[in-house]
């Protein structure tokens, strides 16, 4: 058995039949736990006439209710937790949304699972004890930084917890410490590549050899460009805080789909309209059921990410299923520089101002590998008869309001009334010029 670059050969290379046994057993336990410990799930199951003993194997998964992001918000902050707060040792929360955030909680056991799946991720990327892993994902309520951190420590690497930003310092530490593995968002990696070129640091002075990049969608073209400019292998990883954070799935050295840690998270692909489970290999919405988490177990969580599954054994020796890079969303959420944004968030900011009309357009683009957001907005006629100073003050006010509501920097462009194209049907609010192939 090939154990090269495989952290947990037992779980990552077991036969499909064995995996079904593991999943079925863990699913039964989970269903029992959510039924008896979370009133919300008990009520949903009772309404459907389902008892815990009706769920015998993974084949019965399809009978269980779905969970959505709004279910998490409706039960804010701790309503879906399955253990008393005294057993929760960590809280994270989603970034970039207005109103109530999505709160997730971890027991000590859950932090162990998270470290395990991130250890598998780094190992698959070829990292080990002798590596220096520079973690430039944000630390804090966002799950990126700490998730990667614990995984890096678990494999025995030397972890550099620098967090995001502070680019000059990133480069200096990269040079001085001899960083070999970079973990951050792909757009930040591209920005670092550019800064290295401008800084006069010779690439030969750096020991960087692999990047572990996630938290936002990116293209194959962007991967090739980062690989060429940083002279590294760029590995894609996927995760979402509701399921655990980074480490839900990861690419191996063959870069042909992301292996899902399905002994912890069972994936399904559904039709987002009919909610029916789709046959193997079809494109649809990715749904996860967590089967080992204690703090916040989730049944059939709808990720809204569109992808397909591939159950063939991979050349790396892993038998765990692969998902394709996500190609889109089943809702209108945008991911901009790793931050989730719904056009409705912008709309609610604008609604509170009487200077603007309800006509706006968001233009998302990628310039020098960094996402940009422009808000084109019609303002009341009277502003065009007033002084330039007033227009500028208004622009400033809107910029500030949007930035503080979304956490994203935005370029506000005020336009005269009736200049944004009107639509007969559903208004077109977003133009996304980024090519995600
Ligand atoms: Zn593989």
């Amino acid at each position: 058995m090939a154990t090269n670059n495989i952290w947990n050969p037992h779980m990552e290379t077991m036969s499909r039949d064995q995996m079904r046994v593991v999943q079925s057993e863990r699913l039964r336990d989970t269903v029992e736990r959510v039924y008896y410990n979370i009133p919300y799930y008990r009520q949903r199951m009772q309404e459907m006439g389902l008892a815990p003993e009706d769920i015998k194997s993974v084949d019965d998964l399809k009978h269980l209710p779905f969970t959505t992001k709004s279910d998490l918000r409706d039960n804010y902050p701790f309503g879906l937790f399955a253990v008393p707060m005294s057993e929760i040792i960590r809280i994270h929360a989603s970034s970039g949304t207005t109103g109530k955030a999505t709160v997730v909680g971890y027991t000590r056991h859950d932090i162990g699972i998270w470290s395990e799946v991130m250890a598998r991720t780094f190992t698959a990327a070829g990292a080990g004890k002798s590596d220096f892993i520079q973690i430039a994902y944000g630390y804090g309520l966002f799950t990126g930084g700490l998730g990667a951190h614990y995984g890096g420590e678990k494999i025995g690497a030397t972890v550099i917890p620098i967090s995001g930003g502070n680019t000059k310092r990133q480069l200096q530490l990269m040079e001085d410490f001899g960083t070999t593995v970079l973990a951050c968002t792909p757009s930040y990696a591209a920005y670092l590549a550019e800064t290295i070129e401008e800084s006069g640091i010779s690439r030969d002075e750096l020991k960087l050899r692999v990047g572990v990049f996630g938290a936002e969608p990116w293209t194959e073209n962007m991967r090739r460009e980062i690989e060429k400019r940083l002279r590294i292998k760029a590995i894609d990883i996927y995760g979402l805080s509701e399921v655990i954070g980074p480490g839900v799935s990861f690419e191996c050295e063959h870069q042909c789909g992301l292996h899902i840690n399905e002994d912890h998270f069972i994936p399904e692909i559904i039709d987002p309209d009919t909610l029916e489970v789709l046959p193997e290999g079809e494109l649809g919405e990715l749904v996860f059921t967590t089967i080992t988490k204690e703090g916040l177990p989730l049944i059939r969580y709808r990720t809204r990410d569109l992808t397909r599954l591939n159950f063939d054994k991979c050349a790396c020796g892993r038998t765990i299923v692969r998902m394709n890079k996500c190609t889109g969303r089943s809702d209108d959420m945008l991911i901009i520089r790793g931050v989730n944004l719904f056009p409705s968030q912008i709309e609610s900011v604008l609604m509170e101002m009487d200077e603007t009309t309800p006509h706006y357009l968001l233009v998302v683009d990628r310039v020098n590998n960094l996402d940009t957001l422009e808000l084109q907005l019609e303002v009341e006629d009277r502003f065009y008869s007033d002084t330039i100073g007033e227009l500028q003050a208004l622009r400033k006010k809107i910029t500030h309001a949007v930035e503080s509501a979304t956490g994203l920097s935005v370029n506000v462009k005020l336009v005269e009334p009736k200049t944004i194209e009107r639509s007969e049907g559903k208004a077109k609010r977003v133009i996304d010029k980024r090519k995600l192939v």
Side-chain angles (χ1 to χ4, degrees):
M1 183 188 293
T3 52
N4 217 6
N5 291 355
I6 299 182
W7 175 256
N8 188 335
H10 174 62
M11 285 302 181
E12 295 176 68
T13 65
M14 68 170 51
S15 73
R16 295 301 313 166
D17 285 347
Q18 279 177 299
M19 182 56 81
R20 276 181 58 86
V21 173
V22 169
Q23 288 181 330
S24 296
E25 191 180 308
R26 292 178 173 184
L27 176 64
R28 286 194 298 269
D29 283 354
T30 300
V31 169
E32 200 163 292
R33 264 185 300 121
V34 302
Y35 188 87
Y36 291 108
N37 297 332
I38 308 173
Y40 171 79
Y41 278 120
R42 183 162 59 248
Q43 196 189 335
R44 292 281 297 274
M45 285 176 64
Q46 282 170 348
E47 283 164 8
M48 298 168 88
L50 271 181
E53 50 278 14
D54 294 331
I55 307 302
K56 295 183 173 67
S57 78
V58 281
D59 292 333
D60 298 319
L61 194 55
K62 58 178 182 289
H63 303 306
L64 288 165
F66 289 102
T67 311
T68 62
K69 210 181 185 77
S70 42
D71 294 327
L72 283 162
R73 289 208 195 99
D74 293 346
N75 289 281
Y76 175 89
F78 309 136
L80 293 184
F81 287 12
V83 296
M85 287 311 289
S86 56
E87 287 183 40
I88 296 288
I89 64 162
R90 179 96 64 77
I91 298 267
H92 283 278
S94 64
S95 59
T97 45
T98 50
K100 288 175 184 172
T102 308
V103 178
V104 295
Y106 301 75
T107 64
R108 194 173 301 283
H109 165 86
D110 295 338
I111 296 288
I113 293 168
W114 199 7
S115 315
E116 159 77 17
V117 295
M118 275 310 292
R120 293 182 192 178
T121 302
F122 279 127
T123 307
K129 272 176 190 294
S130 49
D131 278 294
F132 283 75
I133 305 182
Q134 185 157 330
I135 296 174
Y137 284 115
Y139 280 64
L141 283 175
F142 172 61
T143 48
L146 280 163
H149 182 103
Y150 276 67
E153 286 189 352
K154 192 169 173 90
I155 64 166
T158 307
V159 172
I160 309 166
I162 186 166
S163 193
N166 212 341
T167 304
K168 257 194 181 150
R169 189 117 195 270
Q170 300 271 3
L171 296 188
Q172 195 189 343
L173 297 192
M174 223 176 252
E175 208 178 357
D176 296 349
F177 294 175
T179 300
T180 51
V181 180
L182 173 66
C184 62
T185 60
S187 50
Y188 193 56
Y191 181 68
L192 280 168
E194 198 177 274
T195 318
I196 289 171
E197 285 157 17
E198 287 163 3
S199 70
I201 296 176
S202 149
R203 177 57 187 85
D204 296 329
E205 292 164 49
L206 301 178
K207 297 204 172 98
L208 221 50
R209 66 188 171 75
V210 65
V212 175
F213 303 135
E216 64 185 13
W218 50 312
T219 61
E220 279 305 319
N221 283 345
M222 189 164 170
R223 187 210 303 262
R224 299 303 156 216
E225 196 180 322
I226 292 173
E227 291 193 324
K228 197 172 112 207
R229 293 173 77 176
L230 278 178
R231 282 195 246 153
I232 58 171
K233 187 148 191 163
I235 295 292
D236 193 11
I237 68 169
Y238 171 87
L240 60 171
S241 63
E242 295 87 338
V243 176
I244 201 149
V248 172
S249 66
F250 58 86
E251 274 184 341
C252 62
E253 72 268 28
H254 298 284
Q255 300 174 315
C256 56
L258 292 86
H259 289 283
I260 296 174
N261 286 301
E262 55 175 330
D263 52 325
H264 295 290
F265 323 112
I266 306 180
E268 292 171 282
I269 297 289
I270 62 161
D271 178 320
D273 298 320
T274 66
L275 305 183
E276 291 298 317
V277 178
L278 293 172
E280 233 178 88
E282 282 199 27
L283 178 70
E285 184 183 329
L286 181 61
V287 169
F288 280 112
T289 299
T290 70
I291 46 173
T292 49
K293 265 169 71 191
E294 293 176 342
L296 180 69
L298 289 179
I299 303 293
R300 306 190 84 194
Y301 183 72
R302 294 185 59 184
T303 66
R304 306 285 177 171
D305 284 321
L306 299 176
T307 186
R308 56 180 97 235
L309 299 179
N310 174 1
F311 287 88
D312 296 341
K313 185 174 176 177
C314 180
C316 69
R318 287 179 184 81
T319 51
I320 48 176
V321 68
R322 278 170 284 163
M323 57 183 257
N324 278 14
K325 249 180 186 307
C326 295
T327 47
R329 302 267 312 166
S330 70
D331 56 15
D332 59 354
M333 190 182 84
L334 294 160
I335 302 179
I336 298 167
R337 296 189 184 190
V339 174
N340 300 347
L341 175 77
F342 287 94
S344 55
Q345 288 173 251
I346 304 261
E347 206 162 303
S348 59
V349 172
L350 301 179
M351 298 262 277
E352 284 167 21
M353 300 184 172
D354 33 344
E355 299 94 334
T356 61
T357 76
H359 301 288
Y360 70 92
L361 184 66
L362 293 170
V363 183
V364 188
D365 204 351
R366 192 162 270 171
V367 180
N368 295 329
N369 286 314
L370 270 190
D371 293 338
T372 59
L373 175 64
E374 180 181 277
L375 168 63
Q376 296 179 9
L377 179 67
E378 290 183 9
V379 295
E380 294 283 333
D381 246 334
R382 59 190 160 100
F383 284 93
Y384 282 90
S385 48
D386 288 340
T387 60
I388 298 255
E390 271 182 79
L391 261 185
Q392 277 171 345
L394 177 62
R395 185 172 167 265
K396 223 173 181 173
K397 180 179 161 189
I398 295 166
T399 306
H400 180 74
V402 171
E403 289 185 352
S404 65
T406 63
L408 281 165
S409 58
V410 61
N411 175 24
V412 176
K413 206 170 141 191
L414 301 180
V415 297
E416 288 183 50
K418 311 243 167 7
T419 46
I420 289 175
E421 198 187 332
R422 302 296 193 258
S423 152
E424 305 264 311
K426 198 169 144 44
K428 190 171 175 57
R429 296 300 194 194
V430 180
I431 296 178
D432 196 340
K433 295 179 173 172
R434 297 172 297 183
K435 298 257 181 299
L436 296 177
V437 183

